[in-house]
Amino acid sequence: MSSDLQITGGGAIAVDPEQMRAVSDRMAAVAARLTDAGESVRRAHGSLIAAWSTATRIELWALWATAQRLADEGEALASDAAGTAIMADAFELADLRAEQDMLSTQLPAAADRLQARIDALLDSNPELDAMASTLTSTWQRSSTAGLLAQPLDAIAWGALSMQAAVPVWILAGLLRSGTRVMGTVPSGTGITGGAPPVVVRRVSTASVDGSAVTLKQLVTRLPGGKAQVAVEKRTHADGAVSFVAYIDGTRSMTSGGDDPWDMGSNWDLYVDREQSAAYAATLEALQLAGAEEGARVDLVGYSQGAAIAGAVAMSGMYETPRVMIVGSPAVPSLETDQTLIRVFHTDDPVGAGLTAGGPAYATGSPESITVSREYATRSELSSVPSHFRDAYDETIAQAETSGDARVKSLHESLRAEAHDIVSVERMEFQATRP
């Protein structure tokens, strides 16, 4: 694995506290057996000393040293087991606090229900408070490492020519919004407002040789050219159909023009949490492809397209078991039966800057993965190139060759699904404002 590539389950806590406690219990059990073995050897040593005739044939000092070594190892392992259990509590506390903070905005009752467990953890060990705070602050620093650290960043990163970053005028609006959390979409958040008028037409239809079975294949199927959305209709062996929607990023740095994939749509969805023209166009493209409400729809999005994918996944309109977001300005809070694949650069002004690094708690299913690295330190004058597609393609290629167990498991899942798919029809759609 690349030294700067990180692959985790998401959030500040990369290890499940319950798994840590299970490890602690096993360590404690082994420690107890070592201690018992040391006591047994001590008793044997005492018995041999009592039987003086054997002393000339057995090195009693070695037997005593063995007993002491067993006792020391048992004591050390017991201490490590206790420390692991404490760290599990600290991890859980940090995770609960992050989740409570996010829930407090939209679901205050759910946030309040977490307080009893938080209080119990703090009562069990007052030192957990500082440990959990350290874990979170360390993660926050690492999740935005290198952000706006390049020579031109301090001047005006938003003024550079780029495909899909957010300019200075949006940053000013975010500052005025003050305390509102935008980068992580809280559970229970819905998209409000009516659908803006858009015209969506199919620009191409083609058969595809199978379903995507790797991270790289998922990203390379994002649309290009005139199309902003591509939908693959997959027919399974039993005749059932499912869909994969691929949604591209911002196409225009202006607002209100013909192309709905512009900064106005960014503002509507990211800041106001309202239906944007691009969001409405994506839903219409899915309908035109035959995806009725309740159908299975996997989602893959880049930049603004990733924010749209997250919003669709949280809407409940479709069954969305898998969501992949690349360089997204927002991270959705998904359910435990939805797998989130998040790819971001810690120095990406969009993927890290507008998300503040993302949520400190894990979102989605236990199979969810987050792939991150710092990109722009590679002799770039600005952090802006860390948001470009070619930079993310490079990161995804590194993840695929990393040997990480999470990536392997994801690929196995994709391949298992592909075996059941007998045909794939790909439709690409172009949207315009009327």
Side-chain angles (χ1 to χ4, degrees):
M1 180 182 295
S2 172
S3 60
D4 59 353
L5 185 72
Q6 298 292 324
I7 303 176
T8 71
I13 309 306
V15 180
D16 183 354
E18 289 305 319
Q19 291 181 349
M20 288 190 70
R21 292 189 181 104
V23 171
S24 173
D25 291 343
R26 290 195 294 270
M27 292 169 65
V30 173
R33 294 182 66 178
L34 288 172
T35 300
D36 289 344
E39 289 298 322
S40 296
V41 174
R42 282 188 201 278
R43 289 194 295 272
H45 178 268
S47 298
L48 291 171
I49 288 179
W52 65 270
S53 61
T54 64
T56 58
R57 296 191 295 274
I58 297 177
E59 295 180 344
L60 294 179
W61 66 268
L63 200 61
W64 176 262
T66 300
Q68 188 60 45
R69 176 68 181 275
L70 287 168
D72 291 344
E73 293 291 343
E75 183 179 356
L77 189 57
S79 177
D80 290 343
T84 302
I86 291 172
M87 284 305 302
D89 289 345
F91 280 15
E92 182 183 2
L93 178 60
D95 200 36
L96 285 171
R97 280 177 167 171
E99 184 178 3
Q100 186 182 58
D101 182 60
M102 187 54 58
L103 288 172
S104 63
T105 305
Q106 299 288 336
L107 301 171
D112 290 342
R113 286 194 289 270
L114 300 177
Q115 191 60 46
R117 178 57 180 166
I118 290 174
D119 291 341
L121 287 168
L122 291 172
D123 290 343
S124 70
N125 185 347
E127 294 182 0
L128 292 178
D129 188 8
M131 294 173 67
S133 296
T134 299
L135 284 169
T136 302
S137 61
T138 301
W139 167 82
Q140 287 173 336
R141 289 192 298 271
S142 65
S143 63
T144 54
L147 182 64
L148 304 183
Q150 304 309 308
L152 292 182
D153 290 337
I155 302 173
W157 62 268
L160 297 180
S161 174
M162 52 186 291
Q163 291 290 325
V166 176
V168 174
W169 62 273
I170 278 194
L171 291 183
L174 300 184
L175 291 175
R176 287 194 297 271
S177 298
T179 59
R180 184 174 184 183
V181 177
M182 299 178 188
T184 299
V185 185
S187 297
T189 301
I191 300 301
T192 62
V198 288
V199 177
V200 180
R201 63 186 184 92
R202 189 190 304 187
V203 294
S204 69
T205 303
S207 295
V208 177
D209 186 17
S211 185
V213 295
T214 66
L215 289 172
K216 182 178 179 180
Q217 288 180 15
L218 286 170
V219 172
T220 55
R221 295 194 181 193
L222 286 163
K226 294 181 179 180
Q228 304 104 333
V229 181
V231 180
E232 292 181 356
K233 181 179 180 180
R234 308 182 301 182
T235 301
H236 298 258
D238 62 358
V241 295
S242 63
F243 302 84
V244 184
Y246 298 90
I247 315 163
D248 200 16
T250 301
R251 299 291 184 86
S252 171
M253 297 302 293
T254 61
S255 179
D258 291 341
D259 196 330
W261 265 255
D262 63 1
M263 299 315 300
S265 285
N266 268 324
W267 182 275
D268 291 342
L269 188 64
Y270 179 79
V271 178
D272 294 333
R273 307 289 195 215
E274 294 180 352
Q275 282 203 61
S276 67
Y279 177 87
T282 299
L283 295 183
E284 186 169 343
L286 280 164
Q287 292 172 3
L288 291 172
E292 299 179 354
E293 188 168 342
R296 172 176 174 172
V297 178
D298 290 354
L299 297 157
V300 180
Y302 162 66
S303 193
Q304 182 179 169
I308 295 171
V312 173
M314 289 185 64
S315 72
M317 185 177 302
Y318 300 105
E319 177 189 348
T320 52
R322 184 179 295 114
V323 182
M324 182 174 183
I325 57 174
V326 179
S328 179
V331 181
S333 295
L334 300 186
E335 303 296 332
T336 56
D337 59 350
Q338 295 176 296
T339 295
L340 176 65
I341 307 162
R342 182 189 177 206
V343 186
F344 80 102
H345 293 145
T346 63
D347 52 350
D348 177 357
V350 176
L354 295 183
T355 64
Y361 67 92
T363 174
S365 73
E367 292 75 31
S368 297
I369 66 173
T370 294
V371 179
S372 65
R373 71 170 177 138
E374 183 181 352
Y375 172 81
T377 52
R378 291 156 179 74
S379 302
E380 300 284 359
L381 292 176
S382 169
S383 295
V384 167
S386 67
H387 185 64
F388 292 166
R389 269 288 310 277
D390 57 355
Y392 277 111
D393 290 345
E394 182 181 321
T395 296
I396 290 169
Q398 288 188 19
E400 291 206 328
T401 58
S402 67
D404 184 84
R406 295 178 182 87
V407 176
K408 288 182 177 179
S409 178
L410 173 64
H411 286 174
E412 289 171 0
S413 176
L414 289 168
R415 284 193 292 268
E417 288 182 8
H419 283 308
D420 180 54
I421 296 171
V422 296
S423 66
V424 180
E425 181 184 24
R426 179 181 173 92
M427 294 160 274
E428 295 193 344
F429 298 89
Q430 180 187 16
T432 57
R433 287 189 175 93

